[in-house]
Structure formats: structure tokens, C-alpha cells
Amino acid sequence: GKAAWSVPLKAPAWESPGVDADRVFAGSADGTLAAFQGATGNVEWQVALGAPVNTSVRRRTNDLIVGPADGLVHRVSARDGRRLASLALDLTLRPVSAPVLTADSALVLLADEGADYRVLVAVDLALTGIKWRREAADKWSTSRVFATSSIVVLGTPHGEVEAFCASTGSPAWSHKLTNVPIPV
């Protein structure tokens, strides 16, 4: 139960690092993405992304998916920090929360300056393009995307649960919760 090591890091409070068998990958508010050796905490590599890291770091095979505050999402080599691909998601909204990786997509929430979740995008895992984009009627109240292999689920501040097809983004169903207190 004793701490093996620690590194001071300015990161969004609710976001998490990525891990593999022997490394921890973390982004920070100074725009740096770094790999730390799991046993010692020593920096193995770091790369400047150009803007504060807003999302959790997600590891997929040998790649990392991460979103800074400039509206881009990056695919970075977990081995050496080399930027493999970058994709612009929006000119005014920024990636937030934890990207959700499915078999063929990364699902990324986009928020406005007021931190309201406005858009969900699905990008192909190579980051060559946006597969689909769903805009909230008003905004979404869930801070995380929930997904299975076939469906993506989000909630609204009006007590609705909305589900979309994971492969196309088309509406699958919605349900209004009743007799549940909705915060104003």
C-alpha cells in the first residue's frame, strides 16, 4: 500500500492516465503528453501537443488517443511518443472527457467554453476522418460516453436517455425518465 513514486502533474481533475504492462501515459495542462516507467516513475519520453491536454489518455494496442484543448485529437505511438496522426474535430468546440474506444472507432465528446457537452463524434481509429457526428438538441448531461459494440448512450439534462447506433450515429431510441428529480 505504500506509494512507489509520484510525479506532480497539472491535469484535468476527472481525467485519467493510460497504462500498459510497464508504463503510465499522462497528459498535462502545459500541453505535454509523457510516458513514465511504471516501476520507477522516470520519464521515458514526452511530446508537446501544442495545447493543454483535456481528455483522458486511452491506449489501443501500440497507440495512444488523446485530445488537447485546440479541437484536435491525436494518435501517438506508445513506444516512443511519435505523433502518428492528428485530426481536427471542430473549430470552436474542444475534446473533453474520456475517449471511448470501440472495435473501429474512438468516440469523443466535444464541449464549448462553458464546459457544456454539445457534440459527440466517432472517428476512425487511424484518425483519417470523422465517421459520424451527433449534435445535442440542447446539451448532454453525462460526462462520459457509454457504449457497447452496437449502441452509444448519453443523457440529457431534461431526464432523457438517448441511444445511437455505434456504427452510423443514427438515432436508435430515446426514453424520458419520469418521477426522477432533475437538477436545474
Side-chain angles (χ1 to χ4, degrees), residues 71-180:
L72 298 173
V73 66
H74 300 289
R75 185 168 60 96
V76 176
S77 167
R79 184 172 39 91
D80 58 17
R82 187 172 31 97
R83 201 175 314 185
L84 302 171
S86 298
L87 181 65
L89 300 181
D90 197 273
L91 295 175
T92 59
L93 301 175
R94 66 186 191 278
V96 292
S97 188
V100 173
L101 304 181
T102 67
D104 63 353
S105 302
L107 303 170
V108 183
L109 274 173
L110 303 178
D112 60 19
E113 287 184 17
D116 289 325
Y117 307 110
R118 300 290 183 184
V119 171
L120 175 64
V121 294
V123 299
D124 67 272
L125 292 172
L127 298 190
T128 60
I130 295 174
K131 295 176 69 171
W132 54 263
R133 175 185 172 107
R134 293 298 309 180
E135 295 190 21
D138 175 23
K139 62 184 174 183
W140 283 299
S141 58
T142 49
S143 60
R144 296 282 195 249
V145 176
F146 300 93
T148 68
S149 59
S150 60
I151 204 126
V152 178
V153 179
L154 296 160
T156 75
H158 308 292
E160 297 162 318
V161 178
E162 298 179 333
F164 304 97
C165 174
S167 61
T168 66
S170 60
W173 53 263
S174 67
H175 182 74
K176 173 90 170 161
L177 300 175
T178 56
N179 299 325
V180 176

